[in-house]
Amino acid sequence: MASSFKIRKIAELLDARVVCGEQFVDNEINYAFASDLMSDVLTLESEQLVLITGLTNMQTVRTAEMADINCVVFVRGKKVTPEMIEVADENNTVLIECQYSMFRTIGVLFESGVNPIY
Amino acid sequence: MEFSYEVEGGNFAKAGNAASGVKKVLKQLNVDPKIIKRIVVALYEGEVNVVAHAYKGNVLVDIDTNRIYIKIVDEGPGIPDIDLAMQVGYSTASAMVREMGFGAGMGLPNMKRNADIIDITSKVGEGTVVELTTKLTS
Ligand SMILES: Nc1ncnc2c1ncn2[C@@H]1O[C@H](COP(=O)(O)OP(=O)(O)OP(=O)(O)O)[C@@H](O)[C@H]1O
Ligand SMILES: [Mg+2]
């Protein structure tokens, strides 16, 4: 059985800020995947996935939209833009800004029992 | 139902407009979310290819009760060797494209995997036509 986590819990574990999609923080996440390569993310088939990335641009939010990813964590204090929030809001995507590095973010989630896809 | 969308070469901010529009329509038609995902992922990769590799393009979408047909036509450098371009990892993407999160050479193979039928024709120095056909029911 895969363990699942509420998005709210993910944000808490990472001491991170939910910048949009507040109303969906009680939705569940089953897996995490980390990448800055959107063409790689677009090959994933898993559902209820949190994407952890350092790539802060429209492509990240569009990729989440097309791949049905409902939560994206931006690491290392990267700032989400108003245009990104607009598209994310339209698609009910939760965007989270996290100060931790990619390595630490992944480490914390993995240690807490969030499942990898592979 | 027919729609068409313009795609601007180099304009990453707008890449995904066509895929986003098509996703909304397919949702309204109550198509299975898994099938929607296959369709819009393939279309999005196609749009990004026009933005990344060509000068400008047009996406034509035709939806009937059984299938969706998508034709992505661009004016651009064309693809000299389509079999090579279809291989995972083959990419001529610029550093700028890679900074945008693309350019791994995974787009065309992923489009092939996600569409029922893919047809690519290309003329070097003129442009490329990618046609995707996918059934709307499993
Ligand atoms: N519309 C196009 N016009 C010209 N060349 C293209 C076009 N689409 C693809 N190509 C060529 O085929 C190669 C492979 O395309 P593919 O989509 O598989 O990978 P990519 O676009 O380089 O990277 P990724 O899709 O992983 O972001 C490209 O690098 C480019 O050389
Ligand atoms: Mg591509």
Side-chain angles (χ1 to χ4, degrees), chain A residues 33-49:
Chain A
F33 187 77
S35 183
D36 289 347
L37 202 58
M38 294 304 117
S39 34
D40 197 7
V41 176
L42 286 164
T43 64
L44 303 177
E45 282 170 6
S46 310
E47 284 170 18
Q48 287 167 285
L49 176 86

Side-chain angles (χ1 to χ4, degrees), chain B residues 65-82:
Chain B
T65 41
N66 303 311
R67 62 103 182 96
I68 182 167
Y69 167 78
I70 298 169
K71 187 174 181 180
I72 307 165
V73 182
D74 72 53
E75 287 172 29
I79 305 175
D81 185 340
I82 293 173

Side-chain angles (χ1 to χ4, degrees), chain A residues 39-40, chain B residues 45-46 48-50 52-54 74 76-79 85-87 90-93 97 101-109 111 122 128 130:
Chain A
S39 34
D40 197 7
Chain B
E45 293 275 19
V48 170
N49 275 354
V50 174
H53 308 296
D74 72 53
I79 305 175
M86 290 300 295
Q87 286 178 20
Y90 178 82
S91 177
T92 61
V97 169
F102 287 89
M106 295 171 83
L108 287 174
M111 287 163 77
S122 191
T128 302
V130 179

Side-chain angles (χ1 to χ4, degrees), chain A residues 51-108:
Chain A
L51 170 64
I52 301 148
T53 186
L55 187 80
T56 320
N57 62 25
M58 283 299 287
Q59 279 56 67
T60 316
V61 184
R62 283 293 183 207
T63 296
E65 175 184 359
M66 303 318 155
D68 293 330
I69 291 169
N70 33 27
C71 180
V72 184
V73 174
F74 298 94
V75 299
R76 272 215 86 205
K78 301 263 168 62
K79 288 273 173 270
V80 167
T81 65
E83 294 78 41
M84 289 167 67
I85 292 182
E86 202 179 301
V87 172
D89 270 337
E90 228 176 79
N91 299 299
N92 304 341
T93 314
V94 182
L95 302 184
I96 296 176
E97 285 176 356
C98 173
Q99 299 302 315
Y100 296 176
S101 68
M102 178 73 111
F103 183 72
R104 183 167 174 195
T105 302
I106 295 165
V108 167

